[in-house]
Structures are given as structure tokens and as C-alpha cells.
Amino acid sequence: MASLKTLRFLTLVTAVVSLSSLASANSFEKLKEMGLNPKSVTEMPIDGMIAYEAQNGEVMFMTKDGRYVFSGTASDIWNKKVLETGADVLQSAHTIPLAQMEIDFDQLDALTLGTGPKTVHVITDPKCPACKKLNDQMQDLTNEYTFKVLVLPALGEMSREAAKKIACTQDREVALSAFLENRVDELDPPQNCNMDAYKQALLVADYIRVREVPFLIGPNDFVNRGLPKDLEGWLAETSSFISTPEPANVAPQTQPSAAGPKKAASAGQSLNSINSLNNRLRESLK
């Protein structure tokens, strides 16, 4: 039987969720007003789940509607780490450790831009307006960073042929130039092309839950979903990251994109609809 403390917790959380998103600053203040006083609230990279850290350091996971609460030991298999503190949860929610997961973008025939000592992994779309803006910004940072770029049809049918052309161009420098200069239509159409790496790249994007493009994994594995407001600033911040950060009062799952949620949705890049990016990527496997 649930304790009075747990029942009170569930009641309060449910009331708060009915007012607004639990990961918003207003909800955090409302939690404090209602007596919960969390130390941090982190939206997890799992649909409908957040992590709640109490003032005593106890971490619990719950569904956003407040109905289900999970306590006990939680482990991040990708990071190979037990999530014991709010800081652990925050780092887990914001990172994808490609090296530990043995995911190598070079084996997926990624395009390589730059020669810098710090590596940035990018998943992008050949027809995505925000991705084109990112292309311009990346080209200004090639001395400091090396960008490993997977070009996938995130926007569905309109991007599929272009993505396949890039995947099937054996000269990767030619493919890179065409992609950056918006000349993909000039590439030869795919003929007798080995699409194994391309298909594996689609599966990887599905596996790491790509929901918005551009999708970046910066130095030290930190993730940005969408176009960063300041690419150079974001990369500098993630490159200099050394220790586990202290969790902020509220830690949303994503970095804000330059377009903002509403504008991104109108541009076809928000993937909260039924026809999600993952469905489109799976369709490309057929």
C-alpha cells in the first residue's frame, strides 16, 4: 500500500501537470508553492517521462501525468552509469556516448567537414532550411572542429532521393561540396549502389531517438536537438565541459532551436505529429 507521503506526492504532481508542462519554470515554482519543493526536475529523453530530485537527493522517475512513479536503482546502459543523483540524471538526459555505444559515423559513410581536433556528430536533411543555416555556420569552424555529417531523409519523400544521391556518390568530397552548396540535384542518380551503410545510418538515427533535425552531438557527447542559437558558443561550452554539472532548477530535455518550437513546426521540422521522423526513416528502409 502506498504511503501517505507517496499519495500526497502523486496528488500534487497530478494537479501541477493539469496546469502546465512539468518541465517548465512556472511548474517548478508551483511545485514549491504546493509543498513539494524539488531540487530539480529533468525531462528525460523518453516520451512522457521526467526525473524528480527531492531536496534530500532522492531521485524518482515519473510519467508526466503524475500517475506512475518509479523509485529504486536506475542505470544508463549507454553511459554505463548508475543514476544516483540529479546531476547523474541531468548528464544522462543530455548526452549520447557514441564511442561507448561503438557507433562510428565513418562506418556509416558520413561526410567529413573540417580538420579540427574536436569532433562533432551531425544528423541532417538535404532539404531542411535550418540545416542549411547550420551548414554555413559549420564551415566557419572547420579549423577547430571536425564535423561528421549523416545526411538522411528526415523530411520524408521530398528528401529521400537527394539523401540517396549523397549516399551513393563514391567521391565523398564531391558529395560534401554538393551538399554544402545546395547542388545535390546535380549528382548522379543512384545506380547499382551498395546502400548498406545508408540503411545502417537510418537505423542508428532511429535507435538514438532523433526527433528533430539538425541533430548534433558535440564534444563530450552533449546533444542539441534543432539549430543552436549560437553554434560556436554551444560547441565551446560543451567542449570545455569536464565535470558533471549541477542540475539547474528545471532542466528541459532540449536546447532551444533558433526557429523556436512553433516556427520549426510550421517548417515541417517538428516531429511530434503521427508521421514522426522515425516513421519516415523506417519508410526509407523499404
Side-chain angles (χ1 to χ4, degrees):
M1 180 178 294
S3 66
L4 290 177
K5 179 181 177 182
T6 301
L7 291 174
R8 178 171 174 269
F9 175 79
L10 286 169
T11 301
L12 291 174
V13 170
T14 302
V16 172
V17 172
S18 67
L19 295 176
S20 60
S21 169
L22 196 55
S24 71
N26 290 337
S27 295
F28 182 83
E29 293 302 321
K30 183 62 66 175
L31 283 169
K32 294 177 65 175
E33 292 173 9
M34 299 176 75
L36 267 171
N37 193 26
K39 186 176 180 181
S40 68
V41 176
T42 302
E43 185 174 359
M44 302 302 292
I46 303 170
D47 295 340
M49 180 173 286
I50 65 168
Y52 168 94
E53 182 189 17
Q55 288 295 333
N56 65 2
E58 181 181 3
V59 176
M60 291 176 284
F61 298 87
M62 72 183 74
T63 55
K64 277 190 175 180
D65 60 7
R67 181 176 181 181
Y68 300 105
V69 176
F70 308 89
S71 60
T73 301
S75 298
D76 179 347
I77 301 303
W78 291 1
N79 274 296
K80 300 178 182 178
K81 185 174 184 179
V82 177
L83 306 182
E84 298 178 326
T85 67
D88 292 339
V89 171
L90 182 62
Q91 183 176 13
S92 174
H94 287 269
T95 59
I96 296 179
L98 293 175
Q100 290 194 56
M101 298 166 70
E102 298 183 356
I103 295 176
D104 185 349
F105 272 33
D106 286 335
Q107 293 183 0
L108 304 176
D109 284 349
L111 301 175
T112 300
L113 172 64
T115 57
K118 303 171 186 176
T119 300
V120 183
H121 295 85
V122 180
I123 295 177
T124 185
D125 181 283
K127 301 293 184 179
C128 156
C131 301
K132 292 178 182 177
K133 293 180 181 180
L134 178 68
N135 291 349
D136 295 336
Q137 296 178 39
M138 289 192 300
Q139 293 179 74
D140 294 331
L141 302 172
T142 53
N143 290 331
E144 188 172 358
Y145 300 96
T146 297
F147 297 91
K148 300 290 184 178
V149 184
L150 291 180
V151 183
L152 302 178
L155 302 184
E157 186 62 36
M158 63 180 291
S159 307
R160 190 170 302 155
E161 188 65 21
K164 286 184 177 180
K165 283 185 176 182
I166 293 172
C168 288
T169 300
Q170 292 187 359
D171 189 326
R172 304 310 285 161
E173 290 297 325
V174 170
L176 176 64
S177 296
F179 173 63
L180 294 176
E181 298 169 10
N182 198 26
R183 296 185 294 100
V184 176
D185 292 340
E186 299 177 8
L187 296 175
D188 294 333
Q191 291 183 348
N192 300 320
C193 174
N194 186 335
M195 302 294 291
D196 288 350
Y198 173 77
K199 292 179 179 180
Q200 290 173 17
L202 293 171
L203 293 173
V204 166
D206 189 20
Y207 182 57
I208 62 177
R209 298 176 62 82
V210 175
R211 292 291 187 270
E212 186 174 2
V213 287
F215 185 97
L216 294 86
I217 305 175
N220 290 309
D221 303 330
F222 273 76
V223 174
N224 191 93
R225 298 166 174 86
L227 179 67
K229 289 184 177 180
D230 176 12
L231 176 63
E232 185 175 10
W234 178 76
L235 288 174
E237 180 180 357
T238 57
S239 296
S240 61
F241 177 85
I242 299 176
S243 59
T244 302
E246 288 298 321
N249 284 347
V250 178
Q253 173 186 338
T254 63
Q255 298 281 344
S257 65
K262 293 183 179 179
K263 186 172 181 182
S266 65
Q269 295 165 52
S270 177
L271 303 171
N272 295 324
S273 63
I274 294 177
N275 294 322
S276 68
L277 172 59
N278 292 65
N279 289 336
R280 293 167 182 165
L281 294 174
R282 292 190 190 101
E283 182 67 22
S284 296
L285 288 169
K286 296 180 180 179

